[in-house]
Amino acid sequence: MYGNDFGAPEEASGGGLLGEVEAAEAALREAAARQRRGAPASDDDLAGFFAEVVEADQKIEPRDWMPEAYRKTLIRQIAQHAHSEIIGMQPEGNWISRAPSLKRKAILLAKVQDEAGHGLYLYAAAETLGISRDELVDLLLNGRQKYSSIFNYPTLTWADVGAIGWLVDGAAIVNQVPLCRCSYGPYARAMIRICKEESFHQRQGYEILHTLSHGTPEQKAMAQDALDRWWYPSLAMFGPPDGESTHSTQSMAWKIKRFSNDELRQRFVDMCVQQAEILGLTIPDPDLRWNDERQAYDFTQPDYDELMRVISGDGPCNRQRMAHRRQAHADGAWVREAATAYAAKRAAENKEKVAA
């Protein structure tokens, strides 16, 4: 959208997620200003130094010692996040040429470009952990690393673009705002910028659905259909329930994650209910109701068996998404080769100048 035509979704729900991003950014600056104690006197104290830095809400930096399991966990998580940004360009990119107006086309094009940029930030953050971007891309293309299951669902109508912005990007923001306080510095700093841009993406999707839901009966029905299809896959974005989550407990102990899957899922539901009321749309959950005792909404859990099937490669669009990504990678080989040759030429020229 252009300008502030209406309140942001987070304002409508009283969420204030952007405020949390700003607070995390301020905390990053404060942490940088505080003095960490000097480097450990001996190798025997490395683990103690690492634990002290994490406990003090300081940041682990690339040259700091870290447990190998911590490094591998970060590579897995950051890589999956980066891959998701790149694969996530496909469902909406499919609608750039079919957007209903020049204004919509320009906004959607800018959003898809943003996602490419997010992938770039995240691959760069992962590289600080000692793995190359080429390795990460190969792991994705060979099926040894994953991306978010949500991008294996099709975008059937223009309303799906709105649902992705409101629900998928909204779930991403709820998931990612706490990562702005991640214990690993390069990841936390990348997330500050990403979350600010994702907030725009959520507003864009919400505005599309707001326009449709307040348009003709056919347009409202299209918006409701998109909500019906994207609601439960969006809930599944937070991962399996806490009791079945493989990585959450250790990631929270290391302060990579700050909240559990179920806590984040609950927050997302509570945020969306009021937003749906403003849209005039109905969340497709007959058991959705306010629980006075918990001060939160009771809701139907997503189908976790479906989530596992999609993660395992049996979703509606898994094969299509990966085939497209492999083809794009092959088509771009000449660009990578040209860039490598140019860099080598410049390096040789600089070497000759130094020698002269």
Side-chain angles (χ1 to χ4, degrees), residues 51-72:
E52 183 179 312
V53 170
V54 171
E55 182 61 29
D57 273 335
Q58 293 279 17
K59 300 303 172 193
I60 301 298
E61 297 296 343
R63 293 185 179 181
D64 291 335
W65 180 89
M66 62 188 75
E68 183 62 15
Y70 177 84
R71 188 184 75 87
K72 288 182 176 179

Side-chain angles (χ1 to χ4, degrees), residues 23-38 49 52-61 181-183 255 258:
E25 188 172 17
L28 269 175
R29 290 194 293 268
E30 291 168 7
R34 293 199 307 269
Q35 291 293 321
R36 298 194 315 184
R37 76 171 172 91
F49 179 75
E52 183 179 312
V53 170
V54 171
E55 182 61 29
D57 273 335
Q58 293 279 17
K59 300 303 172 193
I60 301 298
E61 297 296 343
R181 296 180 182 271
C182 171
S183 60
K255 295 188 178 180
R258 297 293 181 134

Side-chain angles (χ1 to χ4, degrees), residues 88-99 108 112 153-158 160-161 164 320-321 324:
M89 297 165 66
Q90 293 185 39
E92 292 177 296
N94 179 44
W95 278 91
I96 290 174
S97 63
R98 297 183 287 162
L108 184 58
V112 172
Y153 291 87
T155 45
L156 304 179
T157 69
W158 173 248
D160 287 34
V161 176
I164 288 176
Q320 176 186 335
R321 299 285 185 250
H324 184 91

Side-chain angles (χ1 to χ4, degrees), residues 22-264:
E22 291 169 3
E25 188 172 17
L28 269 175
R29 290 194 293 268
E30 291 168 7
R34 293 199 307 269
Q35 291 293 321
R36 298 194 315 184
R37 76 171 172 91
S42 69
D43 289 349
D44 295 337
D45 193 28
L46 291 172
F49 179 75
F50 171 85
E52 183 179 312
V53 170
V54 171
E55 182 61 29
D57 273 335
Q58 293 279 17
K59 300 303 172 193
I60 301 298
E61 297 296 343
R63 293 185 179 181
D64 291 335
W65 180 89
M66 62 188 75
E68 183 62 15
Y70 177 84
R71 188 184 75 87
K72 288 182 176 179
T73 295
L74 281 167
I75 289 175
R76 176 190 56 79
Q77 180 168 329
I78 298 173
Q80 179 173 324
H81 192 169
H83 300 329
S84 298
E85 298 285 358
I86 300 303
I87 297 291
M89 297 165 66
Q90 293 185 39
E92 292 177 296
N94 179 44
W95 278 91
I96 290 174
S97 63
R98 297 183 287 162
S101 70
L102 180 60
K103 171 184 170 180
R104 297 290 188 194
K105 186 188 298 286
I107 296 170
L108 184 58
L109 181 60
K111 180 186 177 184
V112 172
Q113 288 175 323
D114 280 351
E115 306 296 2
H118 296 173
L120 177 64
Y121 307 153
L122 292 163
Y123 283 131
E127 285 180 306
T128 66
L129 292 159
I131 188 169
S132 73
R133 195 170 313 183
D134 286 343
E135 289 177 275
L136 293 171
V137 171
D138 286 343
L139 288 169
L140 172 66
L141 298 181
N142 293 330
R144 293 168 58 197
Q145 284 185 341
K146 304 293 185 182
Y147 57 91
S148 178
S149 62
I150 194 70
F151 298 118
N152 290 312
Y153 291 87
T155 45
L156 304 179
T157 69
W158 173 248
D160 287 34
V161 176
I164 288 176
W166 175 38
L167 296 176
V168 175
D169 293 328
I173 292 171
V174 170
N175 208 5
Q176 292 169 13
V177 164
L179 293 176
C180 296
R181 296 180 182 271
C182 171
S183 60
Y184 188 61
Y187 194 21
R189 290 187 286 272
M191 291 313 305
I192 296 289
R193 181 166 182 175
I194 289 172
C195 284
K196 289 180 178 180
E197 293 179 354
E198 290 290 1
S199 177
F200 162 79
H201 299 170
Q202 186 194 26
R203 291 171 69 107
Q204 174 254 5
Y206 193 77
E207 194 266 346
I208 289 173
L209 289 181
H210 190 274
T211 299
L212 292 172
S213 63
H214 291 80
T216 66
E218 291 80 10
Q219 287 174 325
K220 184 172 184 179
M222 182 193 300
Q224 182 64 58
D225 173 66
L227 171 55
D228 291 347
R229 286 183 287 106
W230 286 92
W231 175 250
Y232 286 106
S234 297
L235 289 186
M237 284 179 66
F238 297 96
D242 291 346
E244 300 175 17
S245 179
T246 306
H247 305 287
S248 285
T249 301
Q250 184 60 72
S251 290
M252 291 174 69
W254 281 327
K255 295 188 178 180
I256 296 173
K257 287 181 66 170
R258 297 293 181 134
F259 301 99
S260 73
N261 295 351
D262 288 339
E263 288 173 321
L264 293 169

